[in-house]
Amino acid sequence: MHRRFSTTPVWLLLLPLILAGCSTAQSTYHTEGHAAHEIAKLSWFMTILFLVVTAVMWVLLFFAVTRRRGTLSEHAPVDSGGGMAWIAIGGLAIPLLVLSLIFILGLRLLSAFPIHGAHGAMDMNHGAMNRGEVKSPDILVIGHQWWWEVHYLHGDLDQQFTTANEIHIPTNQPVDIELESADVMHSFWIPGLHGKVDLIPGHINFVRLEASHVGSFPGQCAEYCGAQHSHMRLLVVAQPADEYAAWTQQQVKPATDPTTAIARAGEQTFVAGPCSLCHQVRGTTSGGRVGPDLTHVGSRQYLAANTIPNNDAYLEAWITHAQSFKPEAQMPDLTQFDGRQLQGLVAYLRQLQ
């Protein structure tokens, strides 16, 4: 038994770990939207071009290493000037041609996407859409260290609402998103739907998302923004139009009143305690704006900017020991609650659907 294990190639032993690490990887080659599809075509072209150039270089290196060298008497003097054509073609002309081609293709790709239009609106430049037609954004996303604030701006003021970290969109419809930063530079990246777009302090950027089918598409802040940059994740949920409309109507409503004694006690703990200083729950007296709006936090799939599941156990752990999950985040450890208070808080927050 020992002999068989010792002769097993190391890479075979590491393969399960490698595959496990790739199981949650985000890829620009797996696309679910128009913009991502166009980006993927350029990515595939660059990847194939890179592999071809690499193969040619290895062939040339192999030729240089294995060819007959001869003797010193058979070679021309060092200063004879030979080989200049190789330098001019291989070292200058071909790289210039390749880089120029990629640059031109990149500019063509950029021209296919919406750009910043007049007075903060979107320039509708998408497929057959006419250049110059402008509209207001549907969603405003503000990047914080280290979470995403999401404002839905469509409709009248009484139809607008705020959520966090989870963006819902209807399928097969373009959704225009305005991007801002509340602190440092961030980068909005949903690989399956679009490329990276930066959030720059004092500057407004835009992106248009369009999902071709129903699904959940993970994203990530793609610009290093501090200690918890890797834990600043994002989730886009694409739904059929009718389900999306039902979801928005639910999100517009204030928080549901707790129906159990333990949840009602949890509401009192939330409103009277430190939670209300940082978080808002519409329909209650809590009005904090430091952290995410929690009016419908129970309906979200994940907590802590999509880094841990939204269930009773993780919610309790997040409330009491947030710094263990995300050191240096603004959410402090709240260890002052006794067991009954903590149980009530969890029950109250979980029923906020």
Side-chain angles (χ1 to χ4, degrees), residues 205-229:
N205 271 342
F206 298 91
V207 65
R208 170 172 292 145
L209 299 184
E210 183 175 356
S212 57
H213 65 81
V214 172
S216 296
F217 308 100
Q220 173 71 46
C221 176
E223 180 77 26
Y224 180 74
C225 55
Q228 295 302 315
H229 159 69

Side-chain angles (χ1 to χ4, degrees), residues 30-37 191-193 210-214 217:
H30 182 66
T31 62
E32 306 295 346
H34 170 78
H37 179 68
L193 299 178
E210 183 175 356
S212 57
H213 65 81
V214 172
F217 308 100

Side-chain angles (χ1 to χ4, degrees), residues 105-290:
L105 293 176
L107 290 180
R108 289 186 57 190
L109 181 62
L110 286 174
S111 68
F113 298 146
I115 62 174
H116 189 183
H119 308 297
M122 293 285 284
D123 181 358
M124 305 288 283
N125 179 22
H126 175 73
M129 295 180 184
N130 296 323
R131 186 186 299 270
E133 179 188 352
V134 296
K135 65 187 288 288
S136 299
D138 302 302
I139 299 174
L140 167 64
V141 173
I142 303 175
H144 297 261
Q145 290 178 305
W146 293 272
W147 60 283
W148 306 89
E149 183 178 357
V150 185
H151 298 266
Y152 285 77
L153 307 177
H154 41 56
D156 298 329
L157 286 177
D158 60 353
Q159 294 298 307
Q160 299 180 8
F161 58 91
T162 301
T163 181
N165 300 317
E166 187 175 298
I167 300 176
H168 287 239
I169 62 174
T171 55
N172 298 309
Q173 294 183 32
V175 177
D176 294 328
I177 301 177
E178 181 178 314
L179 301 172
E180 299 179 9
S181 172
D183 34 56
V184 300
M185 279 191 65
H186 303 282
S187 190
F188 182 95
W189 187 37
I190 312 293
L193 299 178
H194 209 288
K196 302 174 184 177
V197 181
D198 288 340
L199 287 71
I200 304 171
H203 179 77
I204 298 175
N205 271 342
F206 298 91
V207 65
R208 170 172 292 145
L209 299 184
E210 183 175 356
S212 57
H213 65 81
V214 172
S216 296
F217 308 100
Q220 173 71 46
C221 176
E223 180 77 26
Y224 180 74
C225 55
Q228 295 302 315
H229 159 69
S230 62
H231 290 157
M232 188 174 173
R233 299 175 189 170
L234 186 64
L235 185 68
V236 173
V237 179
Q239 302 170 289
D242 56 343
E243 291 185 15
Y244 173 74
W247 178 83
T248 57
Q249 289 304 309
Q250 178 63 24
Q251 295 293 311
V252 168
K253 297 177 182 177
T256 54
D257 294 327
T259 57
T260 64
I262 186 66
R264 286 193 291 270
E267 181 183 28
Q268 293 302 313
T269 300
F270 182 92
V271 172
C275 304
S276 63
L277 299 178
C278 294
H279 298 281
Q280 179 184 30
V281 174
R282 285 179 279 118
T284 72
T285 57
S286 61
R289 300 301 177 92
V290 177

